Amino acid sequence: MYEGWRWMTARREFSRARASDPDILTDFVVPRDLLAEPSQINGTFFTYTRLVSGNAGDPAKFTATKATAAEYPALLGQSVSFARLVFGAGTVNPPHIHPRASELLLVVQGALFVGLVDAARNGTLHTATLQAGDMFVFPKGMVHFQSNNSTVVARAFSAFGSAIPGTISLPTELFETGIDDPVLEKSFRTDQATVDALKHDLQKAPAPAPPQNSADGALVGARLAAVMLCVGTAFSLVL
């Protein structure tokens, strides 16, 4: 009896950890709180209106407005989701990973410098400068970033191949989760002072000053590319 209970408990715990969207046996998933209210499943249930109106975006910062299963329950099990990205002048969407989805980015205003780390090719960094109307795909699980190196606001939309794509921010996960400093020093081949400086800067999180000219924008892009190469090298050592 005890063994059977333990097996059922382990099965329930395992089911909570998913590497991808579940395969559903119905056309769509009805949230538990609506099962007793079938009349509530109407056009409103399948509609989401807050992707743009819910967050106008601060033109001095980077902001992301999501439409995933958490915000939009009708997406559960549908393997799609969306996000609206607003980039203030000189701002960055830091290097990050979506563990459960590829991302298709469409620039609709301004220009973005983007890149991804190809871990399968020894951490090769692939970059591009996108103009309005251009698209770029970030394969699932690859480290990537977007940067607005200009003096004007840039806007983009991202489509994801999962209702729960997830986002793992590398700066946050590496320097704000309590990993021992000696581990970070050895991993990045740096010293305690540098690790302390990075943690301090991340805690302050000041709004970056916009580039003053195109040369400054190019310098920001070059620095970010250099950081991504370091990240790519680190990843290639463990993959």
Side-chain angles (χ1 to χ4, degrees):
M1 185 71 177
Y2 171 74
E3 287 299 323
W5 174 85
R6 188 172 66 173
W7 180 84
M8 289 297 293
T9 302
R11 185 179 179 185
R12 284 197 299 270
E13 291 298 321
F14 176 77
S15 68
R16 294 176 186 172
R18 295 194 181 102
S20 62
D21 283 14
D23 289 328
I24 59 178
L25 301 179
T26 56
D27 293 328
F28 57 91
V29 177
V30 178
R32 188 171 301 176
D33 58 341
L34 295 181
L35 286 175
E37 299 287 342
S39 63
Q40 297 298 313
I41 302 301
N42 51 35
T44 300
F45 172 72
F46 296 99
T47 303
Y48 188 74
T49 62
R50 297 190 296 276
L51 185 65
V52 175
S53 63
N55 186 348
D58 187 336
K61 300 177 181 178
F62 165 73
T63 56
T65 307
K66 300 178 181 179
T68 69
E71 298 82 19
Y72 189 5
L75 294 183
L76 188 61
Q78 300 300 326
S79 299
V80 293
S81 58
F82 223 60
R84 173 177 178 258
L85 310 177
V86 179
F87 295 81
T91 60
V92 170
N93 186 5
H96 61 281
I97 296 169
H98 301 298
R100 291 180 292 275
S102 55
E103 174 184 358
L104 186 60
L105 178 82
L106 170 65
V107 179
V108 296
Q109 179 182 338
L112 289 176
F113 177 68
V114 304
L116 64 87
V117 173
D118 188 346
R121 291 174 173 78
N122 298 317
T124 300
L125 179 65
H126 304 297
T127 64
T129 298
L130 307 179
Q131 306 296 330
D134 293 343
M135 303 177 77
F136 194 94
V137 64
F138 303 102
K140 179 169 66 174
M142 283 191 171
V143 180
H144 61 281
F145 70 91
Q146 301 103 25
S147 175
N148 178 10
N149 296 337
S150 72
T151 58
V152 298
V153 173
R155 290 181 170 85
F157 288 96
S158 285
F160 299 94
S162 170
I164 45 173
T167 300
I168 299 175
S169 171
L170 296 187
T172 299
E173 295 296 323
L174 292 172
F175 294 98
E176 296 188 44
T177 54
I179 296 176
D180 290 344
D181 288 353
V183 174
L184 294 173
E185 293 169 33
K186 293 176 181 178
S187 298
F188 288 91
R189 299 173 185 174
T190 187
D191 54 24
Q192 179 71 49
T194 301
V195 171
D196 288 343
L198 287 169
K199 288 185 174 181
H200 180 265
D201 290 344
L202 285 170
Q203 288 172 354
K204 288 174 60 178
Q212 298 302 310
N213 52 51
S214 58
D216 290 341
L219 180 59
V220 170
R223 287 175 174 170
L224 189 52
V227 170
M228 291 292 287
L229 280 174
C230 291
V231 172
T233 300
F235 268 70
S236 66
L237 291 174
V238 299
L239 293 177

